Each structure stands twice: as C-alpha cells, then as structure tokens.
C-alpha cells in the first residue's frame, strides 16, 4: 500500500516536472525584427540564461547593449539613455517612450530555446 502510494506520488511529480518546459531551458533568445520606423530600430534581441540576461537594440546599423529594467512573463522593459522600450508579450505590442512621446513599432518575433 505504501509502495503504491509512493509510486503514484513520484509519477505525479515527474509528470508535473516534465510538463513545465521552463525547467529544462538553459538558453532563451527572443528576437524582434521591426519594420521601418522613425527611430530606425531594426531589431531587438533579448538573451536569457540561468545566470545572464542581456538585451541589444540595433539602430541605424549599430548594435547597442541596453538595460533590462524589468522582465516577467507578460512584459519586458528596456532602457537606453532616455529611450524606454516596453514589450507587451500578451498583446504583442512594442512601444517606445522617447521625450514624452510614445511610438509603436511593428515587429515580428522569433524565439529560440535550448
């Protein structure tokens, strides 16, 4: 009886663990390729590992490392000088706040996980 309960409990834990794919991720990359815009932002790349989180923005052909101000499953906020980029993952919208003006970018997202 105890063995049967133990086996069911272990099987339950294994199923829960396996259904949570984030447990196995060692590397995650999100790349947002943007269409032409006033800020000349061509792409935004976010790299995540267990130890490192980095983000890069390509503007006018130059790549700049930007700060990740906050990051969760719903939203990522990036900052670079006086530019704030908000990526809303739920509605797939990217807004840029620059000098009290909000601009919206049209971008396609590609994800890569290991």
């Amino acid at each position: 009886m105890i063995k049967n309960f133990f086996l069911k409990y272990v099987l339950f834990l294994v199923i829960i663990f396996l259904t949570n794919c984030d447990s196995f991720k060692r590397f995650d990359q999100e790349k947002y390729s943007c269409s032409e815009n006033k800020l000349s932002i061509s792409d935004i790349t976010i790299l995540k590992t267990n130890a490192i989180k980095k983000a890069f923005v390509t503007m006018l052909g130059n790549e700049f490392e930007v700060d990740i101000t906050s990051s969760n499953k719903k939203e990522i906020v990036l900052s670079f000088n006086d530019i704030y980029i908000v990526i809303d993952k739920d509605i797939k919208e990217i807004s840029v706040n620059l000098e009290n003006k909000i601009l919206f970018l049209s971008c396609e997202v590609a994800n890569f996980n290991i």
Side-chain angles (χ1 to χ4, degrees), residues 1 5 14 22 24-25 29 45 52 67 97-98 101:
M1 172 113 172
F5 174 76
V14 167
D22 290 341
F24 294 110
K25 269 198 252 184
Q29 175 181 332
T45 305
I52 299 170
D67 295 324
N97 187 337
L98 173 66
K101 295 179 185 175

Side-chain angles (χ1 to χ4, degrees), residues 39 80-84 96-103:
L39 297 174
F80 174 69
N81 294 337
D82 291 334
I83 301 172
Y84 292 91
V96 180
N97 187 337
L98 173 66
E99 298 175 356
N100 294 325
K101 295 179 185 175
I102 297 177
L103 304 168

Side-chain angles (χ1 to χ4, degrees), residues 26-78:
R26 293 186 331 188
F27 176 80
D28 184 27
Q29 175 181 332
E30 295 176 37
K31 183 168 186 166
Y32 298 86
S33 299
C34 304
S35 59
E36 192 173 319
N37 56 73
K38 292 180 182 180
L39 297 174
S40 298
I41 294 175
S42 58
D43 65 70
I44 301 165
T45 305
I46 300 164
L47 305 171
K48 297 178 192 172
T49 67
N50 291 338
I52 299 170
K53 290 184 182 178
K54 289 188 176 189
F56 302 91
V57 172
T58 304
M59 295 174 65
L60 297 169
N62 296 313
E63 185 175 76
F64 301 96
E65 186 171 352
V66 296
D67 295 324
I68 300 175
T69 305
S70 68
S71 176
N72 56 47
K73 288 184 179 185
K74 182 185 180 319
E75 177 180 88
I76 300 171
V77 179
L78 308 173

Side-chain angles (χ1 to χ4, degrees), residues 5-21 23-24:
F5 174 76
F6 180 74
L7 285 174
K8 286 181 182 179
Y9 181 73
V10 169
L11 183 60
F12 175 75
L13 289 177
V14 167
I15 290 171
I16 295 297
F17 183 73
L18 290 176
T19 57
N20 186 2
C21 294
S23 301
F24 294 110

